[in-house]
Amino acid sequence: MVSTRKHPSEFPEPDTSSSPSSTPTKPPPSSSSSTSKPPSTSKPHPTTTTTALTPRPKSSTASTLHTPTRLTTLWLLISLPLVIWDFTYVFLRPHSMPGGSLHSPLWIPYSTYGSVDYTYGFPAWEANNGFTAAQSSLNLAETGMYAFYLVVVWRNGRVARGGKRGLRWLVWEEKRVESAGLAVLVMFAASVMTVSKTWLYVFNEVFSGFDNIGHNTFLSLIPLWIIPNGAWIVVPSFMVYDFGREILAALEVAAAAAPGGGSSKRK
């Protein structure tokens, strides 16, 4: 038999106050549960998004530089007196016509032209044809626009050191005209008006069976009708191209200078 070992004394009672395992402890509440709040029943406030507005670029009209061509200034100096001479003849009819008190000496050439083109002669006047005065009214408007351009060139054109303004400077010397944005736009519009009105004058003859010039021979029409009217188509057409190209170039520069204008792409 195996004998059991005897202890000299009984085991003492366990100390329940100091034993960590005698009383089970609850885990500390988690931080999320201690800070959690009941869901709010109030409606969320709408958020307001503030968009920064990009300031619009200031007008660059005041800083626009323009270089007139010699052909443009020379054409205006020649054509403006002729157009003024033309529409004053029309508005002063019948006094400016042959036999009228104002005909001689200023409008003597119109006795010949009125026999070539009846629009300017007695047939149109006696028929009360309003087309002659209507197209002359447009001539008056165009003359004011062309004169405005010349005034801007004269007043705002830069004069070279030691130079001075004059007829040679206006026609021949290269100029840089400041604050010419509006003048360039007016010249473009006036040139379009001149070309359109002259083609209307030609088409009026074509679709009327050459009612006013059909009594002439073709050879006589070349110096007296085709060349004069053709000049008011060719040169103003060049000015439409020249001033239109300048306006497009300025628009492209302004678009590239705008915020994001040079790199933004449409999606």
Side-chain angles (χ1 to χ4, degrees):
M1 292 182 64
V2 178
S3 62
T4 59
R5 183 178 297 176
K6 294 183 181 180
H7 296 277
S9 62
E10 296 182 354
F11 289 103
E13 293 292 331
D15 186 0
T16 58
S17 61
S18 60
S19 173
S21 59
S22 59
T23 304
T25 58
K26 294 182 179 180
S30 63
S31 60
S32 60
S33 61
S34 61
T35 57
S36 62
K37 296 181 180 180
S40 174
T41 57
S42 61
K43 295 182 179 180
H45 295 285
T47 58
T48 303
T49 304
T50 303
T51 304
L53 298 179
T54 303
R56 296 179 60 182
K58 296 182 179 180
S59 175
S60 59
T61 303
S63 60
T64 303
L65 287 178
H66 166 64
T67 303
T69 63
R70 294 188 181 102
L71 177 61
T72 297
T73 52
L74 181 62
W75 168 257
L76 292 181
L77 292 176
I78 294 174
S79 65
L80 284 183
L82 293 176
V83 173
I84 293 173
W85 181 52
D86 182 85
F87 68 66
T88 50
Y89 165 82
V90 171
F91 291 144
L92 292 175
R93 292 177 306 167
H95 308 290
S96 57
M97 301 178 77
S101 60
L102 301 177
H103 177 68
S104 179
L106 189 56
W107 288 291
I108 289 179
Y110 276 90
S111 61
T112 301
Y113 190 78
S115 63
V116 173
D117 187 351
Y118 288 161
T119 305
Y120 281 80
F122 282 104
W125 173 256
E126 294 171 352
N128 200 25
N129 188 337
F131 179 78
T132 311
Q135 62 94 20
S136 293
S137 299
L138 293 179
N139 283 339
L140 178 60
E142 294 164 18
T143 299
M145 298 167 78
Y146 290 137
F148 168 75
Y149 172 79
L150 284 179
V151 169
V152 172
V153 172
W154 180 266
R155 294 182 60 182
N156 298 349
R158 293 179 179 175
V159 182
R161 182 176 299 178
K164 61 179 181 178
R165 288 182 174 86
L167 184 60
R168 176 181 173 82
W169 171 83
L170 183 62
V171 176
W172 190 253
E173 294 182 9
E174 185 173 324
K175 296 168 288 298
R176 295 290 188 272
V177 183
E178 299 175 336
S179 304
L182 179 60
V184 169
L185 182 61
V186 168
M187 272 295 291
F188 176 77
S191 302
V192 172
M193 290 175 62
T194 301
V195 174
S196 303
K197 181 206 62 196
T198 309
W199 275 117
L200 179 64
Y201 190 82
V202 173
F203 288 143
N204 181 58
E205 289 300 313
V206 173
F207 291 108
S208 67
F210 301 96
D211 186 50
N212 296 297
I213 62 172
H215 59 283
N216 301 280
T217 64
F218 179 75
L219 291 179
S220 65
L221 283 177
I222 292 177
L224 295 175
W225 198 88
I226 296 176
I227 292 179
N229 287 288
W232 262 264
I233 292 176
V234 174
V235 180
S237 295
F238 163 77
M239 293 193 300
V240 170
Y241 165 77
D242 186 54
F243 286 95
R245 181 180 59 176
E246 185 170 345
I247 291 172
L248 286 177
L251 289 175
E252 291 175 355
V253 171
S263 59
S264 61
K265 297 181 180 179
R266 289 186 177 181
K267 295 181 179 181

